[in-house]
Amino acid sequence: VVQDSDGRSFRSNSDYLNDDILASVLEGFTPEGPMGDVEVGSPLSPEKWDFYAFAGLLDNEEIKDVASRVQNFNEENEEIAFDDAEIEHFLFGVGSHHAGMLPAHKAFVETLYRAQLMKAVFATETLAAGINMPARTTVICSLAKRGNKSTMNLLGHST
């Protein structure tokens, strides 16, 4: 294990996340700063991008690309625009995908993932349903899935 100057731990020769790094990504620190068409205090403000690059999973160019995509989506879909918390997650390179999301939001997450602009996705099986989105690592939280009045074991046995 190697530690950086801020005390964060990394496995040598590995790009895996540890609990401390993931927690820092999800905390969502947002320094204030003005920008042309973006509101003061908005996570889309370029003055914040260096922090996202430092604390998150994307580099500055990827953050610029994500910010542009988010801003375009929000301008074209004001009634279902992403809130600041969701935007911050995207700029850190993290997102979620589940059946409770709006279809347009799920499609946006899928687009970021396919473009390799989302490095960690917390998802249900809806992410893989009917789409080819290969992941380097998959974490399964339960070996059972609830369904029509029964539980299906992911290992193939039904109860």
Side-chain angles (χ1 to χ4, degrees):
V1 175
V2 179
Q3 285 193 337
D4 67 7
S5 61
D6 294 321
R8 297 185 301 177
S9 298
F10 299 88
R11 293 181 187 157
S12 57
N13 300 323
S14 174
D15 58 352
Y16 296 123
L17 296 174
N18 67 25
D19 291 339
D20 294 332
I21 293 170
L22 189 55
S24 72
V25 167
L26 296 176
E27 282 176 7
F29 172 78
T30 56
E32 300 299 321
M35 181 191 150
D37 291 23
V38 178
E39 288 183 30
V40 172
S42 167
L44 295 174
S45 175
E47 287 82 11
K48 298 180 180 189
W49 296 351
D50 284 339
F51 175 76
Y52 297 131
F54 171 77
L57 304 174
L58 303 176
D59 63 33
N60 279 315
E61 286 302 310
E62 291 170 323
I63 290 167
K64 182 178 178 181
D65 191 357
V66 170
S68 173
R69 291 172 187 241
V70 169
Q71 188 168 8
N72 288 340
F73 180 92
N74 282 354
E75 287 172 358
E76 294 174 10
N77 302 283
E78 292 180 15
E79 66 283 354
I80 59 169
F82 292 110
D83 64 28
D84 285 353
E86 290 171 301
I87 294 170
E88 283 191 329
H89 292 159
F90 296 153
L91 294 173
F92 281 123
V94 178
S96 63
H97 189 285
H98 55 84
M101 295 174 69
L102 294 170
H105 286 192
K106 286 194 291 189
F108 187 83
V109 168
E110 293 163 12
T111 300
L112 290 180
Y113 186 83
R114 281 193 204 105
Q116 297 181 353
L117 296 171
M118 187 168 290
K119 308 298 182 180
V121 181
F122 297 86
T124 60
E125 68 276 0
T126 60
L127 183 63
I131 55 176
N132 182 16
M133 295 182 64
R136 189 179 334 167
T137 304
T138 302
V139 177
I140 300 173
C141 296
S142 174
L143 292 177
K145 176 177 170 51
R146 287 177 281 161
N148 299 332
K149 298 180 184 177
S150 68
T151 301
M152 175 178 276
N153 187 320
L154 294 179
L155 299 176
H157 308 289
S158 187
T159 59

